[in-house]
Amino acid sequence: MRRIFIGDLHLQDERPDITEGFIRFIREECLRCDELYILGDLFEAWIGDDERADLSERVAWELQRLRRPGKFFIRGNRDFLIGKDFCALAGLTLLPDISEVRLGRSSAVILHGDLLCTADKKYQKYRRTVSNPFLQKCFLALPLSIRKRIASGMRKKSRSENSVKPLELMEVSDSEVLRIMTARQCSVMIHGHTHRPLIRDYNTEIFQANSLYLPARRYVVGAWDKEFKYVRADGDEVKLITARLDGRYAL
Ligand SMILES: [Mn+2]
């Protein structure tokens, strides 16, 4: 069983090269896998499934016609408003923010990754507010033009805040990582969000549901640019792979 994990594509009209690269990736790399997991921030921005944009319709169509692999989606902090309608259109199964997947002998907990940046109290508070289902419903009930204005105002604010934010605030908290892995009985964690791909080994063994103690290991997928990194798992053999938008894969 081959599974592919990607995230942080940040698809947008300004980067048609990434959209084309993603479509090539779907048509080539994903044809050879059984399950595709998109770990959030597939789109740079999302203000509701009812916004019929050429970009999202094309992506949905390309994903939809990909018959073979099962396709799963976890929302990111950019596209947390993606809902049932878009997922149905794209043939994606929408997963909870923190989910689990069996990889052979080991179990992996998968998430976008913003939940792990616990040092950034202000962001976590903002996240709790915007994930409130009632507030989301109110926002989605606004006319599209007003939603667009609000979203672009928020993006500007976040850009100026992130440029002055100390780096440690955007770091993943290792204690939160191990807390979640222990609670979920998963020795593997796969996420994105930080745009800093890596493999991190911990000096801790995690007790798994299958009664095996396995060393904790965390994989971070990279953001998409001319080059990007994604995770490929064949059974419990997990690798961080470097790929290029033009399809010429590096080793
Ligand atoms: Mn993100």
Side-chain angles (χ1 to χ4, degrees):
M1 179 81 125
R2 169 170 286 191
R3 297 182 177 88
I4 285 178
F5 302 83
I6 57 173
D8 299 298
L9 293 90
H10 295 270
L11 299 179
Q12 51 190 300
D13 291 328
E14 289 72 22
R15 287 297 302 269
D17 57 328
I18 297 181
T19 306
E20 295 313 316
F22 176 52
I23 288 167
R24 174 178 289 122
F25 186 80
I26 288 177
R27 290 178 178 173
E28 293 171 7
E29 195 67 1
C30 293
L31 276 187
R32 298 190 287 266
C33 81
D34 303 292
E35 287 178 350
L36 168 68
Y37 291 84
I38 305 173
L39 304 179
D41 288 356
L42 172 61
F43 294 99
E44 171 73 1
W46 197 265
I47 56 169
D49 291 2
D50 55 336
E51 187 192 28
R52 294 286 183 198
D54 291 346
L55 172 65
S56 56
E57 297 218 324
R58 176 139 186 252
V59 167
W61 189 76
E62 288 289 343
L63 282 167
Q64 177 69 63
R65 63 196 280 272
L66 187 69
R67 290 271 170 248
R68 174 155 169 231
K71 300 175 288 278
F72 303 90
F73 178 70
I74 290 181
R75 297 175 175 117
N77 58 304
R78 297 300 193 135
D79 51 14
F80 62 90
L81 283 175
I82 283 183
K84 290 196 182 76
D85 290 347
F86 175 76
C87 288
L89 203 64
L92 292 168
T93 303
L94 185 60
L95 296 178
D97 287 352
I98 302 180
S99 295
E100 287 152 38
V101 51
R102 273 293 289 278
L103 306 177
R105 290 184 323 144
S106 51
S107 294
V109 56
I110 54 175
L111 67 169
H112 177 57
D114 54 329
L115 274 169
L116 302 169
C117 304
T118 49
D120 194 346
K121 297 275 183 279
K122 205 172 152 202
Y123 172 74
Q124 294 301 335
K125 195 173 160 218
Y126 156 84
R127 191 186 193 280
R128 277 194 296 276
T129 309
V130 297
S131 12
N132 179 309
F134 175 72
L135 286 180
Q136 286 192 0
K137 215 175 236 175
C138 294
F139 179 78
L140 292 172
L142 294 169
L144 261 176
S145 57
I146 297 181
R147 273 183 269 160
K148 268 184 198 155
R149 233 178 300 154
I150 297 176
S152 89
M154 284 172 73
R155 267 201 301 283
K156 259 181 225 141
K157 190 163 170 270
S158 125
R159 251 198 298 270
S160 64
E161 275 176 9
N162 278 340
S163 59
V164 295
K165 222 179 239 184
L167 213 63
E168 61 266 24
L169 275 189
M170 294 193 274
E171 286 296 339
V172 161
S173 149
D174 284 319
S175 59
E176 184 64 3
V177 167
L178 291 172
R179 189 190 69 76
I180 293 175
M181 290 173 93
T182 306
R184 299 276 172 153
Q185 300 186 321
C186 293
S187 63
V188 174
M189 177 181 273
I190 306 171
H191 68 87
H193 180 65
T194 63
H195 297 195
R196 287 191 295 266
L198 72 93
I199 301 176
R200 169 91 207 258
D201 283 312
Y202 294 90
N203 214 349
T204 308
E205 299 216 315
I206 305 284
F207 178 76
Q208 298 203 130
N210 59 2
S211 297
L212 279 178
Y213 278 95
L214 292 172
R217 180 177 267 196
R218 175 166 66 97
Y219 297 85
V220 187
V221 299
W224 283 44
D225 207 327
K226 294 272 172 258
E227 214 175 81
F228 59 96
K229 288 187 199 285
Y230 70 98
V231 164
R232 194 173 71 199
D234 291 291
D236 53 12
E237 194 195 326
V238 187
K239 281 185 181 149
L240 188 63
I241 310 252
T242 304
R244 288 172 54 92
L245 288 183
D246 61 16
R248 284 187 284 117
Y249 297 100
L251 289 173

